Coordinates of all heavy atoms in Angstrom, one line a residue:
K1005 N -105.1 -28.3 -106.8 CA -104.3 -27.5 -105.9 C -103.8 -26.3 -106.6 O -103.2 -26.4 -107.6 CB -103.1 -28.3 -105.4 CG -103.4 -29.6 -104.7 CD -102.0 -30.3 -104.3 CE -102.3 -31.7 -103.8 NZ -101.0 -32.4 -103.5
L1006 N -104.1 -25.1 -106.0 CA -103.5 -23.9 -106.5 C -102.1 -23.6 -106.1 O -101.4 -22.8 -106.6 CB -104.4 -22.7 -106.1 CG -105.7 -22.5 -107.0 CD1 -106.7 -23.6 -106.6 CD2 -106.3 -21.1 -106.8
C1007 N -101.6 -24.4 -105.1 CA -100.2 -24.4 -104.7 C -99.7 -25.8 -104.7 O -100.3 -26.7 -104.0 CB -100.2 -23.7 -103.3 SG -98.5 -23.7 -102.6
D1008 N -98.6 -26.0 -105.3 CA -98.1 -27.4 -105.5 C -97.8 -28.1 -104.2 O -97.8 -29.3 -104.1 CB -96.9 -27.4 -106.4 CG -97.2 -27.1 -107.9 OD1 -98.4 -27.2 -108.2 OD2 -96.3 -26.7 -108.6
T1009 N -97.4 -27.3 -103.2 CA -97.0 -27.9 -101.9 C -98.1 -28.1 -100.9 O -97.9 -28.6 -99.8 CB -95.9 -27.0 -101.2 OG1 -96.4 -25.7 -101.0 CG2 -94.7 -26.9 -102.1
W1010 N -99.4 -27.8 -101.3 CA -100.5 -28.0 -100.4 C -100.5 -29.4 -99.8 O -100.3 -30.3 -100.6 CB -101.8 -27.7 -101.2 CG -103.0 -27.6 -100.3 CD1 -103.6 -26.5 -99.8 CD2 -103.8 -28.7 -99.8 NE1 -104.7 -26.8 -99.0 CE2 -104.8 -28.2 -99.0 CE3 -103.7 -30.1 -99.9 CZ2 -105.8 -29.0 -98.3 CZ3 -104.7 -30.9 -99.2 CH2 -105.7 -30.3 -98.5
P1011 N -100.7 -29.6 -98.5 CA -101.2 -28.6 -97.5 C -100.2 -27.7 -96.9 O -100.6 -26.9 -96.0 CB -101.9 -29.5 -96.5 CG -101.0 -30.8 -96.5 CD -100.6 -30.9 -98.0
M1012 N -98.9 -27.9 -97.2 CA -97.9 -27.0 -96.6 C -97.8 -25.8 -97.6 O -97.7 -25.9 -98.8 CB -96.6 -27.7 -96.5 CG -96.6 -28.7 -95.4 SD -97.3 -28.1 -93.8 CE -96.1 -26.8 -93.4
P1013 N -97.6 -24.5 -97.0 CA -97.5 -23.4 -97.9 C -96.1 -23.3 -98.6 O -96.0 -22.5 -99.5 CB -97.7 -22.2 -96.9 CG -97.3 -22.8 -95.5 CD -97.7 -24.2 -95.6
K1014 N -95.2 -24.1 -98.1 CA -93.9 -24.2 -98.8 C -93.3 -25.5 -98.4 O -93.9 -26.3 -97.7 CB -93.0 -23.0 -98.3 CG -92.8 -22.9 -96.8 CD -92.1 -21.6 -96.5 CE -92.0 -21.4 -94.9 NZ -91.3 -20.2 -94.6
Q1015 N -92.1 -25.8 -99.0 CA -91.5 -27.1 -98.8 C -90.8 -27.3 -97.5 O -89.6 -27.3 -97.3 CB -90.4 -27.3 -99.9 CG -91.0 -27.4 -101.3 CD -91.7 -28.7 -101.6 OE1 -91.8 -29.6 -100.7 NE2 -92.1 -28.9 -102.8
T1016 N -91.7 -27.3 -96.4 CA -91.2 -27.6 -95.1 C -92.2 -28.6 -94.4 O -93.3 -28.8 -94.9 CB -91.2 -26.3 -94.2 OG1 -92.5 -25.7 -94.2 CG2 -90.2 -25.3 -94.8
T1017 N -91.8 -29.1 -93.3 CA -92.7 -30.0 -92.5 C -92.9 -29.4 -91.1 O -92.1 -28.5 -90.7 CB -92.0 -31.4 -92.4 OG1 -90.8 -31.2 -91.7 CG2 -91.9 -32.0 -93.7
T1018 N -94.0 -29.8 -90.5 CA -94.3 -29.2 -89.2 C -95.2 -30.3 -88.4 O -95.7 -31.2 -89.0 CB -95.2 -27.9 -89.4 OG1 -95.5 -27.4 -88.1 CG2 -96.5 -28.2 -90.1
A1019 N -95.2 -30.1 -87.1 CA -95.9 -31.1 -86.3 C -97.4 -30.9 -86.4 O -98.2 -31.8 -86.1 CB -95.4 -31.0 -84.9
T1020 N -97.9 -29.7 -86.7 CA -99.3 -29.4 -86.7 C -99.6 -28.6 -88.0 O -98.9 -27.6 -88.3 CB -99.7 -28.5 -85.5 OG1 -99.4 -29.2 -84.3 CG2 -101.2 -28.2 -85.5
I1021 N -100.7 -29.0 -88.7 CA -101.1 -28.3 -89.8 C -102.5 -27.7 -89.5 O -103.4 -28.5 -89.1 CB -101.2 -29.1 -91.1 CG1 -99.8 -29.6 -91.5 CG2 -101.8 -28.4 -92.3 CD1 -99.7 -30.5 -92.7
R1022 N -102.7 -26.5 -89.7 CA -104.0 -25.8 -89.4 C -104.7 -25.5 -90.8 O -104.1 -24.7 -91.5 CB -103.8 -24.5 -88.6 CG -103.0 -24.8 -87.3 CD -102.4 -23.6 -86.6 NE -103.4 -22.8 -86.0 CZ -103.8 -22.9 -84.7 NH1 -103.2 -23.8 -83.9 NH2 -104.7 -22.0 -84.2
V1023 N -105.8 -26.1 -91.0 CA -106.5 -26.0 -92.3 C -107.8 -25.2 -92.1 O -108.7 -25.6 -91.2 CB -106.8 -27.4 -92.9 CG1 -107.4 -27.2 -94.3 CG2 -105.5 -28.2 -92.9
A1024 N -108.0 -24.2 -92.9 CA -109.3 -23.5 -92.9 C -110.2 -24.1 -94.0 O -109.8 -24.2 -95.2 CB -109.1 -22.0 -93.2
V1025 N -111.4 -24.5 -93.6 CA -112.3 -25.2 -94.6 C -113.5 -24.4 -94.8 O -114.3 -24.1 -93.8 CB -112.6 -26.6 -94.0 CG1 -113.5 -27.4 -95.0 CG2 -111.4 -27.4 -93.6
M1026 N -113.8 -24.1 -96.0 CA -115.1 -23.5 -96.4 C -115.9 -24.6 -97.2 O -115.6 -25.0 -98.3 CB -114.9 -22.3 -97.4 CG -116.1 -21.7 -97.9 SD -116.9 -20.6 -96.7 CE -118.5 -21.4 -96.4
D1027 N -116.9 -25.2 -96.5 CA -117.7 -26.3 -97.0 C -119.0 -25.7 -97.3 O -119.7 -25.1 -96.5 CB -117.7 -27.4 -96.0 CG -118.8 -28.4 -96.3 OD1 -118.8 -29.1 -97.2 OD2 -119.8 -28.3 -95.5
S1028 N -119.5 -25.9 -98.6 CA -120.8 -25.3 -98.9 C -121.4 -26.0 -100.2 O -120.7 -26.8 -100.8 CB -120.6 -23.8 -99.3 OG -121.8 -23.2 -99.7
S1029 N -122.6 -25.7 -100.5 CA -123.2 -26.2 -101.7 C -122.8 -25.3 -102.9 O -123.0 -25.7 -104.0 CB -124.7 -26.3 -101.6 OG -125.3 -25.1 -101.2
F1030 N -122.3 -24.1 -102.6 CA -121.8 -23.2 -103.6 C -122.8 -23.1 -104.8 O -122.4 -23.3 -106.0 CB -120.4 -23.6 -104.1 CG -119.3 -23.5 -103.1 CD1 -118.8 -24.7 -102.5 CD2 -118.9 -22.3 -102.6 CE1 -117.8 -24.6 -101.6 CE2 -117.9 -22.2 -101.6 CZ -117.4 -23.3 -101.1
N1031 N -124.0 -22.6 -104.6 CA -125.0 -22.6 -105.6 C -125.7 -21.3 -105.8 O -126.9 -21.1 -105.5 CB -126.1 -23.7 -105.2 CG -127.0 -24.0 -106.3 OD1 -126.7 -23.9 -107.5 ND2 -128.2 -24.4 -106.0
P1032 N -124.9 -20.2 -106.2 CA -123.5 -20.3 -106.7 C -122.5 -19.7 -105.6 O -123.0 -19.2 -104.6 CB -123.5 -19.3 -107.9 CG -124.5 -18.3 -107.4 CD -125.5 -19.0 -106.7
P1033 N -121.2 -19.8 -105.9 CA -120.3 -19.2 -105.0 C -120.4 -17.6 -105.1 O -120.8 -17.1 -106.1 CB -118.9 -19.6 -105.5 CG -119.2 -20.8 -106.4 CD -120.6 -20.6 -106.9
H1034 N -120.1 -16.9 -104.0 CA -120.2 -15.5 -104.0 C -119.1 -14.8 -103.1 O -118.3 -15.5 -102.5 CB -121.6 -15.0 -103.6 CG -122.1 -15.7 -102.4 ND1 -121.6 -15.5 -101.1 CD2 -123.1 -16.7 -102.2 CE1 -122.2 -16.3 -100.2 NE2 -123.1 -17.0 -100.8
Y1035 N -119.1 -13.5 -103.1 CA -118.1 -12.8 -102.3 C -118.1 -13.1 -100.8 O -117.1 -13.1 -100.2 CB -118.3 -11.3 -102.5 CG -117.7 -10.8 -103.8 CD1 -118.5 -10.0 -104.6 CD2 -116.4 -11.1 -104.2 CE1 -118.0 -9.5 -105.8 CE2 -115.9 -10.6 -105.4 CZ -116.7 -9.8 -106.2 OH -116.2 -9.3 -107.4
C1036 N -119.2 -13.5 -100.3 CA -119.3 -13.8 -98.8 C -118.5 -15.1 -98.5 O -117.8 -15.2 -97.5 CB -120.7 -13.9 -98.3 SG -120.8 -13.9 -96.5
H1037 N -118.6 -16.1 -99.4 CA -117.8 -17.3 -99.3 C -116.3 -16.9 -99.3 O -115.6 -17.4 -98.4 CB -118.1 -18.2 -100.5 CG -119.4 -18.9 -100.5 ND1 -120.2 -18.9 -101.6 CD2 -120.1 -19.6 -99.5 CE1 -121.3 -19.6 -101.3 NE2 -121.3 -20.0 -100.1
G1038 N -115.9 -16.1 -100.2 CA -114.5 -15.7 -100.2 C -114.1 -14.9 -99.0 O -113.0 -15.1 -98.5
A1039 N -115.0 -14.1 -98.5 CA -114.7 -13.3 -97.3 C -114.5 -14.2 -96.0 O -113.6 -13.9 -95.2 CB -115.8 -12.3 -97.0
Y1040 N -115.2 -15.2 -95.9 CA -115.0 -16.2 -94.8 C -113.6 -16.7 -94.8 O -112.9 -16.7 -93.8 CB -116.0 -17.4 -94.9 CG -117.3 -17.2 -94.2 CD1 -118.4 -16.9 -94.9 CD2 -117.4 -17.4 -92.8 CE1 -119.7 -16.7 -94.3 CE2 -118.7 -17.2 -92.2 CZ -119.8 -16.9 -93.0 OH -121.0 -16.8 -92.4

Side-chain angles (χ1 to χ4, degrees):
K1005 301 176 186 177
L1006 279 74
C1007 177
D1008 291 340
T1009 60
W1010 191 96
M1012 293 307 300
K1014 52 187 177 181
Q1015 294 285 5
T1016 59
T1017 58
T1018 182
T1020 301
I1021 297 180
R1022 303 162 76 90
V1023 185
V1025 184
M1026 178 79 243
D1027 161 73
S1028 176
S1029 56
F1030 293 111
N1031 193 26
H1034 47 69
Y1035 280 129
C1036 194
H1037 288 130
Y1040 271 101

